[in-house]
Amino acid sequence: MGSRTARAPGGDAGADGEWARHWRYTSLPGLDLLRARYVGHTFPAHAHDGYVFGAVTAGVEAVGMPGGTLLAGPGTVTMINPEVPHTARAGAAEGWAYATLYPSAALVAEVAAETTAIRGTAGFGETLVDDPGGSRLIAEVHRAAEEDDPLAADSVLRVVLARLLRRHGARLGERAVASAGGRTAARARALLDERMAAPPTLEALAAELGTSPFALLRAFKAAYGTPPHRWLTDARVRRARRLLDQGLRPAEAAVAVGFTDQPHLNRHFTRIVGVPPGAYRRERAG
């Protein structure tokens, strides 16, 4: 498969026609942007701290959610709440091209408070909606940011967030009181987060929590939609992103989060984020 680099659409593509740009427009704090075309790339199960709003501009994307796989094409908008595990891959032979916004939870809460009657944490019950107007607005945010037009980018961003919240948003339901298994899973997640660079074995983790390895596996997957080792890989990549944002080099970030070396980080980072860590860091430094 061809290399993926952080270049704007219209630049030289890889041998397989893939390209991607994952970046942050400094005039829009609280927002990351990804514009890309993928053919063979597959995003494994992962989650985000903030929201995901995606607009497919060509081809078909297969979005894997806890409830099943959805096919997103042009004119649709994908909306994913924070911390919801999901996957993505091509849903057609030609792959898919899309523009995606990753606004922070704080930014979405600000827009929801100003433009809707939603009280509490705003969220979306539907993952995929047919909304050509919303899809066009998402692409317009990208276009304005790429043209370095901060007034237009900020204005259109808030318009599209308000549109999606008013049309499709609602208050996220309160979390149910955790069961004993849920509490065990939460403790396991906290321990893995604390010991990310040197995690215990599943057996040692289960023993520390007073349960069995298989009981812990079942409880963790029921609570977070993925087994502990896959959750840890995603958590490491998310922390590596924050370290790269702060200016660390990929090799330093790899060691800090517990990957064996930079190639180990490169492999998982590229699969989950969609671009290599070096390209991701260069966009931040630029």
Side-chain angles (χ1 to χ4, degrees):
M1 194 158 73
S3 62
R4 282 173 293 275
T5 59
R7 62 168 61 88
D12 294 335
D16 52 11
E18 293 196 342
W19 50 260
R21 186 186 189 194
H22 194 301
W23 66 303
R24 179 174 295 163
Y25 183 41
T26 55
S27 296
L28 294 180
L31 176 73
D32 272 24
L33 304 100
L34 170 65
R35 193 177 235 204
R37 178 177 185 264
Y38 296 118
V39 181
H41 185 74
T42 298
F43 288 89
H46 65 288
H48 299 271
D49 299 325
Y51 296 79
V52 181
F53 299 102
V56 171
T57 55
V60 180
E61 177 189 15
V63 184
M65 298 296 294
T69 299
L70 304 170
L71 297 180
T76 64
V77 175
T78 302
M79 306 175 296
I80 302 175
N81 296 320
E83 302 300 340
V84 174
H86 56 283
T87 64
R89 58 179 174 79
E94 69 269 25
W96 83 102
Y98 67 157
T100 303
L101 307 176
Y102 300 99
S104 67
L107 178 57
V108 173
E110 176 189 333
V111 174
E114 186 176 351
T115 64
T116 76
I118 298 171
R119 295 296 173 260
T121 302
F124 301 88
E126 293 180 278
T127 300
L128 185 67
V129 295
D130 184 26
D131 189 347
S135 179
R136 285 192 296 271
L137 287 170
I138 290 172
E140 283 184 25
V141 176
H142 277 262
R143 186 159 45 250
E146 288 161 5
E147 292 173 354
D148 194 19
D149 186 342
L151 179 59
D154 193 14
S155 300
V156 179
L157 171 64
R158 291 174 187 274
V159 167
V160 70
L161 291 180
R163 175 193 178 99
L164 296 175
L165 284 163
R166 286 197 300 263
R167 292 186 174 210
H168 313 294
R171 181 179 178 179
L172 280 182
E174 298 294 331
R175 290 185 179 273
V177 177
S179 63
R183 290 191 293 272
T184 298
R187 290 170 60 202
R189 186 175 71 165
L191 286 171
L192 290 174
D193 190 63
E194 178 184 333
R195 303 175 196 172
M196 184 176 291
T201 64
L202 178 66
E203 183 178 13
L205 182 61
E208 184 170 347
L209 296 173
T211 188
S212 72
F214 280 106
L216 177 56
L217 276 174
R218 287 193 298 271
F220 200 98
K221 189 166 185 181
Y224 303 114
T226 189
H229 68 284
R230 290 182 181 165
W231 179 91
L232 180 60
T233 297
D234 185 30
R236 282 172 164 169
V237 168
R238 285 208 256 176
R239 185 172 295 178
R241 285 182 62 178
R242 291 193 288 271
L243 294 174
L244 294 171
D245 289 344
Q246 295 167 15
L248 264 69
R249 297 190 299 271
E252 296 170 324
V255 172
V257 303
F259 286 119
T260 54
D261 52 25
Q262 185 175 335
H264 193 197
L265 168 66
N266 289 354
R267 183 168 67 254
H268 290 293
F269 193 100
T270 303
R271 289 177 65 224
I272 289 174
V273 180
V275 296
Y280 177 92
R281 183 174 180 266
R282 283 194 297 275
E283 288 286 357
R284 264 55 183 172

